[in-house]
Amino acid sequence: MSEQVIANNFIHAFIDEDLQEGVYDKVATRFPPEPNGYLHVGHAKSICLNFGTAKKYNGTCNLRYDDTNPVKEDLEYVNAIEADIKWLGFTWENKLWASDYFGTMYEAAVELIKKGLAYVDDLSAEEIKAHRGTLTEPGKESPCRNRSVEENLALFTEMKEGKYGDGEKVLRAKIDMSSPNMNMRDPVIYRIVHATHHNTGDDWCIYPMYDFAHPIEDAIEGITHSICTMEFEDHRPLYDWVLREVGFWPNPPRQIEFARLNLTNTVMSKRYLKALVDDAVVDGWDDPRMPTIAGLRRRGYTPEAIRDFCDRVGVAKANSLVDMGLLEHCVREDLQSRVESRNVVEDPIKVVITNYPEEETEMVTVENNKNVPEMGERKIPFSRELYIDGADFMEVPAKKYFRLFPGNEVRFKGAYFIKCEDVVKNDDGSIKELLCTYDPETKSGEGFEGRKVKGTIHFVDAKTAVPVTIRNYSYLMIQNEEGENVLNPESLVEKKGFAEPLLAEAKPGERFQFFRHGYYIADEKLCTNETLVFNRIVDLKSGYKPE
Ligand code: ATP
Ligand code: MG
């Protein structure tokens, strides 16, 4: 599966250097999600980068749950994360839990205390914050900073044994209160939280902080390159400090940062996405409008398109905002030569061909995919009563409107030239049907060389048409006049329509091009043989031109 090997990037240049200089003799990466929500397309970038890099160097990539917070663990999230990684086409070397390393982390903290490099502090969180100083002023040392090793060991043991309440004491690394890097001003490395952990139960009431835990997790697993996002760049000196001072690992990992993925019309924070789910703004984590992997899958995106997208976005240090149009372009490009076309009409209008025999039905030929002749042709029924798309008729035509209007003649794709003779109305003024005539001499594929028509439209045969529900999606977020991201009230527009009979056989998850409309997928949850429900993956028009 060569497409899973990602394009070269600056991270690979670092790795090449490390391998050449013999710093490492293999490459080991990890993908470390916190199981507190579903993965989104930003995570897909990290997944492609970590798994892709391991693949490129014949190395390994672990899936490691970062569960050092004793928050309620949700099995739903764990299962979803694994399903999403597999669906994207990647396989982890080992599945691991950071909480399995709590013992080693505790020993590492004790080691720091023994070396005089960590102390128990009685200051409250607010006091610690107030003592931290600012970017221009150095911090103030805590009165507890110079406690003896013995006292610190005793207090840390008491913390572990549950003698103190939440927040009463913390363990801090003793580094430098006047460091220009705020992260080095005696960061908290352990805190007290009396909570039951999903994995370790009530074994612990002290939990390590991310900056202390993460390097240790990486080192225990023999990770060589710990790839993370830019906001951790300023934490790197602390990452290196922890591993150097704990000293348990002779050849510690190296942290490398890259810019996180940001997409237009999208919010990518698990917390925000969870709020959308909890407030029922969307229909679950896999709502087809969500930027989650589960949402994109249900929407109809393919793993190939998402991997291609991650590859094209590339890996850089500078933050940027990527146009959603690129993601759409990738799926269009992937589907255009893979899926078959079907005739489907939205907001249908009935057409009666008054000069066509009443009892007759003939089968006309249409191509399955106009870009790929090898995908062949199929036959669709044509008879006296048909449906056309609501958008393909205008009673009073606009300028340059070449589709059907009274007095105009168009080609019905695969069939005949058809002329609109009259419009029949209901009592309320709405259109009941169009009375049309066909020209038997103009059948498609029979070498008709007579007069030309400017418009070609598609149709479905009324007798055999199957009703379908069409869910047309657009961006969940749009910008208001102030340029802020707000929810788009029209992110889902549901339409009723009719499809050619073959579509009744669509299986959930099957994709099609709806002729002249876009790419669609039979919804994996809502589509049954009784009720046909399709999600629009993406429309056909490509306003987006990738550079
Ligand atoms: P969120 O802020 O959306 O909750 P997170 O970073 O807290 O994301 P984690 O579960 O901690 O979520 O992330 C797992 C990995 O995915 C981390 O290594 C993180 O850097 C990476 N990641 C998360 N969001 C993005 C993004 N938008 N672009 C690239 N990588 C990302
Ligand atoms: Mg996180």
Side-chain angles (χ1 to χ4, degrees), residues 31-34 40 42-43 45-46 227-229 258 260-261 268-270:
F31 173 66
E34 196 178 335
H40 51 61
H43 294 113
K45 179 172 174 181
S46 176
I227 301 170
C228 64
T229 42
F258 71 101
R260 59 196 299 132
L261 173 70
M268 268 190 288
S269 123
K270 273 184 281 192

Side-chain angles (χ1 to χ4, degrees), residues 348-422:
I349 299 178
K350 185 174 247 183
V351 166
V352 181
I353 316 284
T354 53
N355 61 339
Y356 195 85
E358 273 192 43
E359 297 307 318
E360 199 167 314
T361 294
E362 65 183 296
M363 300 303 283
V364 303
T365 304
V366 290
E367 64 233 308
N368 285 329
N369 183 325
K370 74 175 181 359
N371 300 314
V372 188
E374 304 83 71
M375 287 175 73
E377 296 170 338
R378 67 185 187 286
K379 302 269 189 201
I380 59 168
F382 177 92
S383 70
R384 184 181 159 92
E385 295 197 353
L386 308 166
Y387 289 111
I388 63 166
D389 206 278
D392 285 340
F393 174 78
M394 279 183 101
E395 197 169 358
V396 182
K399 240 185 172 168
K400 296 205 173 155
Y401 188 81
F402 299 124
R403 289 170 266 169
L404 208 56
F405 55 86
N408 193 40
E409 189 175 45
V410 298
R411 171 174 290 289
F412 274 32
K413 175 85 176 160
Y416 299 95
F417 282 11
I418 288 175
K419 184 174 179 191
C420 178
E421 310 283 358
D422 204 0

Side-chain angles (χ1 to χ4, degrees), residues 507-537:
K507 308 266 175 302
E510 208 177 344
R511 299 179 182 86
F512 302 94
Q513 187 199 109
F514 286 0
F515 189 66
R516 296 172 62 226
H517 278 291
Y519 293 100
Y520 285 78
I521 186 167
D523 187 86
E524 62 187 42
K525 284 188 170 163
L526 304 175
C527 190
T528 63
N529 285 111
E530 285 76 53
T531 330
L532 293 164
V533 182
F534 292 88
N535 300 323
R536 182 169 68 195
I537 308 168

